[in-house]
Amino acid sequence: MAETNGCVLVTSVSKEILRFNQSGSFVGTLLAPHDIKAYRMHKMSNGNIVYSNLRNCVVMCDDKLSTICTFGKDKSKLQGGLDVDENKRILYVADGDEHCVFKFNIDKKSMLGKIGSKGSKAGKFKHPSDVAITTKGNIVVADTENDRIQIFNEDGKKAKVIIEHGEEDGKVIHPSCVTVDADDNLIISSQHKVQLFDKNGNFIRRIDRKDDGLLLPLGSAVISYRPRRLAVAYFGSNNIKFFNY
């Protein structure tokens, strides 16, 4: 999911990327090449879009979905969430099957290495599903099957668990989406809730309500700052919900 030109772009695990306005009304469809199944998406400041493709690579395209280049083809499945540190020119992609986050140089199209491996200690993952970069270059990872959020320093070598497992507010179960806003607040979507934390993982508040009936969030994007608005796509209920936060 991404915001562009006042519209929300939503992948549909197909070559179609759907466009909605901020009132939730359907605007139209963008078509990717025929061999694409777009899954997770990130929009860069220059208008280019990077998305994970279920056909085992990451694609960079322009705003019309014309392919510019690919990353990691035949290397791994690369089907998780992704983000780009545009200052360092690094693409980060969560890979649940490999239990790590891959790093690519977006100019040379080359793989730089990976962060993490399978395990439950700090710095290790079990099926991470999303990654986001703070303004300071720190790397925030949804460590999904360890039921926690980890943060790494900018070189990916020092890790800290900042949000732990739990049912209560301020904790997470099966986190699947991480969004960092312009103030470095962390918006975490987990199995049945959406929560707001500061950059250190301190709980601020729950964004949704208990009776909203949220089920399996699979993408989120900040679409406005005045007022602060968030769009969240839900796989379980096959819809998009908008929240002020």
Side-chain angles (χ1 to χ4, degrees), residues 8-75:
V8 181
L9 301 182
V10 183
T11 58
S12 57
V13 197
S14 71
K15 67 178 182 179
E16 294 185 345
I17 294 180
L18 310 177
R19 298 175 68 234
F20 297 85
N21 64 25
Q22 294 190 17
S23 298
S25 298
F26 178 68
V27 175
T29 301
L30 297 173
L31 293 179
H34 70 280
D35 60 341
I36 293 296
K37 285 190 175 181
Y39 185 51
R40 295 290 190 99
M41 179 191 309
H42 171 76
K43 177 177 173 287
M44 298 175 60
S45 62
N46 63 3
N48 288 343
I49 295 170
V50 185
Y51 60 85
S52 52
N53 171 21
L54 291 186
R55 298 193 185 278
N56 297 355
C57 67
V58 171
V59 178
M60 180 185 289
C61 62
D62 62 20
D63 59 357
K64 305 298 183 184
L65 298 190
S66 296
T67 299
I68 297 172
C69 63
T70 61
F71 302 88
K73 200 166 188 178
D74 302 323
K75 178 67 179 176

Side-chain angles (χ1 to χ4, degrees), residues 5 17 55-56 62 84 96 133 149 156-157 167 172 180 228 233 236 239:
N5 297 325
I17 294 180
R55 298 193 185 278
N56 297 355
D62 62 20
V84 177
I133 310 303
I149 302 296
K157 294 181 179 179
E167 295 257 358
V172 293
V180 178
R228 291 176 181 264
N239 62 15

Side-chain angles (χ1 to χ4, degrees), residues 127 132 163 180:
H127 298 285
I163 303 172
V180 178

Side-chain angles (χ1 to χ4, degrees), residues 1-2 8-11 20-22 24 40 130 176-179 187-195 207-208 212-223 229-245:
M1 174 178 286
V8 181
L9 301 182
V10 183
T11 58
F20 297 85
N21 64 25
Q22 294 190 17
R40 295 290 190 99
D130 202 8
S176 56
C177 304
V178 181
T179 299
I187 300 167
I188 309 297
S189 301
S190 53
Q191 192 165 9
H192 298 295
K193 65 175 73 174
V194 182
Q195 302 178 89
I207 294 175
D208 68 309
D212 279 335
L214 306 185
L215 183 61
L216 301 178
L218 208 56
S220 60
V222 175
I223 59 174
R229 297 196 74 211
L230 177 76
V232 184
Y234 287 89
F235 178 77
S237 51
N238 197 31
N239 62 15
I240 302 166
K241 291 184 181 290
F242 297 86
F243 301 96
N244 290 336
Y245 77 98

Side-chain angles (χ1 to χ4, degrees), residues 159-178:
K160 181 181 180 182
V161 177
I162 57 171
I163 303 172
E164 302 273 3
H165 165 266
E167 295 257 358
E168 66 269 30
D169 288 351
K171 308 288 185 182
V172 293
I173 294 178
H174 235 63
S176 56
C177 304
V178 181

